[in-house]
Amino acid sequence: MAGGETYDVVVVGSGGGGLIGAYVAASRGLRTLLIEKTDRVGGTTAYSGAGIWYPGSAPLRRAGVEASPEDARSYLRSVVADDSREHLQDAYLDAGPRLIDELEQNPWFQSFVHAPVPDYFASAPGATLAGRTIFPPDVPVADLGDRAELVRGSIPRERWGVERGEVLGGGRALIGRALAAFLETGNGTLRLDTRLESLVLEGDRVVGVTATSGDEEITFRAGRGVLLAAGGFERNAELRAKHHPVPLDGTWSNGCPANTGDALLAGTAVGAATDLLDEAWYAPGLVQPDGLPVFHSGTRGGIWVNGAGERFMNETRPYDQAGHEMVRLHSSTGVSHIPCHWVFDQRMLDRDSFGGDPEQPPNPAWFESGALKKADTLEELAELIGVPYEALRKTVEEFNGYADSGVDEQFHRGESPWDQMCCHIVGFPAGPVMNYMAKNTPGLANQLLLPIGTGPFYAATIVLSDIGTKGGLKTDENARVLRADGGVIPGLYAAGNTAAAMSGRAYPGAGTPIGSSLAFSYRAVLDIVEAGPGAA
């Protein structure tokens, strides 16, 4: 193999899983190369809040909120409901707490903290109201120095030029900390603007990668293993059209724009099996004045109506469940549910604001672009959004009856822990999540069932977005990539959205995608270390 350099480990992709995997390898003395397709590190993780769903981890124990490990196992078994993934679930539950223990020993990571985000399937055995989600602490830009410039910006920064600020939070904090920790091992090399083209085989073993940087093609040898952690294929229109049940081309995705499935294609080219290619981490997306959506995690007022002018779900249900329901109904009913319309009135706008400062009216750009429509009457609004007026009027009247009684008899909005958390976030008097079952408190659910009747009336557009595809290369409990016959492809590992999700078609709790990416990157490196240099 001509050109390039030789390393122990080559990691492809610099999101949470890629960077953590690279750090874990380099911290063990392995010469580690991390290649990143773009000019910034972080991938979709940088856009996130960096929630990590890790039952049994030390931050949960410190907060005094963790139930028994077996409760978490029961919960996963119940919501995933797929015997073929039980070994992956067990591997995940084992790796998460161990990884956090290791990371917290490095000053760059400091201490992760728990925040009460309820598990998404509240009625499943083992679910907890306090949740099992932890977060990294913020990091001052000054602490990172020049490295801060290498961290991908938030969606508001990349889309609208919002100032970065002096502190990185959420996913950018996790990425910044992991980048600094990786580079300071003395064993880590980072190459930006370097795109994976193919995997290099010797016999049946993966021994390196071929990549392009500018006009140059380079081969990097990996003496111990290659870890693919380069995200999904959410921005690849051809692959989405081939595999997904509804027509999505990636335009509405909130995944990193560079996630076009390069690692998936490289893996399948050397015989890797795949799974769940028809799946994504779905989320409704609120269309902004620039014509593109932003991840929408819960509606506190108003209603969503489909092309028939009818309400069709609890608008505040967990986002992946809401997205899957949009897919199901759009595919099965003959009525358009993608996009749908968020209908509300002046009273909700005054209470909650819309798209900005709660003390200010919506930016005129919302109306000028058509992202937000306004009408004096419901009949006029129905005409603006193209739905039957009589159906819309009937839907609003029915919803207002639920608002008056405080009980959403149709879709039960306001009754789940997630609903109550959404209510609590904006300062309404819903009380702590742990007390959401206080059904005898008059008016508790009404905070999410505000009547619609105070004109003028408004409508925004909700489309089907995602935070990445969740199907990919099939792997075992140590993130080793498998062939269709179940055999291992030696030297090749995959994690994050490059691999098929351990959670199958379910989204158990906030931080499952990032948690999976980190946990299986960790397990991959542990397997590389255990195999030793003789495996090369």
Side-chain angles (χ1 to χ4, degrees), residues 53-56 66-79 89 93 119 125-128 132 508:
W53 195 79
Y54 275 171
E66 174 63 351
S68 77
E70 286 310 309
D71 284 345
R73 197 179 317 277
S74 296
Y75 177 74
L76 265 184
R77 295 285 197 266
S78 174
V79 302
Q89 296 164 27
L93 292 172
D119 287 334
T128 172
R132 299 169 165 111

Side-chain angles (χ1 to χ4, degrees), residues 12-13 15 44 228-234 259-264 469 471 495-499:
V12 181
T44 303
L228 302 177
F233 60 91
E234 55 267 19
N259 287 357
T260 55
D262 304 339
L264 170 69
T469 50
N497 289 347
T498 300

Side-chain angles (χ1 to χ4, degrees), residues 128-151:
T128 172
L129 305 183
R132 299 169 165 111
T133 304
I134 62 175
F135 296 86
D138 294 349
V139 59
V141 168
D143 288 359
L144 294 173
D146 292 342
R147 293 166 182 158
E149 297 300 324
L150 300 179
V151 177

Side-chain angles (χ1 to χ4, degrees), residues 178-232:
L179 175 64
F182 169 62
L183 294 176
E184 289 186 9
T185 63
N187 299 309
T189 300
L190 172 67
R191 284 191 61 117
L192 301 174
D193 296 309
T194 302
R195 173 176 179 157
L196 172 69
E197 297 294 339
S198 61
L199 298 167
V200 179
L201 289 174
E202 284 184 359
D204 65 349
R205 183 179 181 83
V206 171
V207 295
V209 304
T210 298
T212 53
S213 181
D215 296 329
E216 182 182 16
E217 184 174 280
I218 314 168
T219 297
F220 300 105
R221 185 177 182 88
R224 305 276 288 271
V226 171
L227 170 59
L228 302 177

Side-chain angles (χ1 to χ4, degrees), residues 15 50 55 80 87 102 144 156 176 206 208 210 257 283 306 311 387 404 406:
V80 177
H87 66 299
E102 181 171 327
L144 294 173
V206 171
T210 298
N306 59 23
R311 189 167 173 243
V387 303
D404 289 342

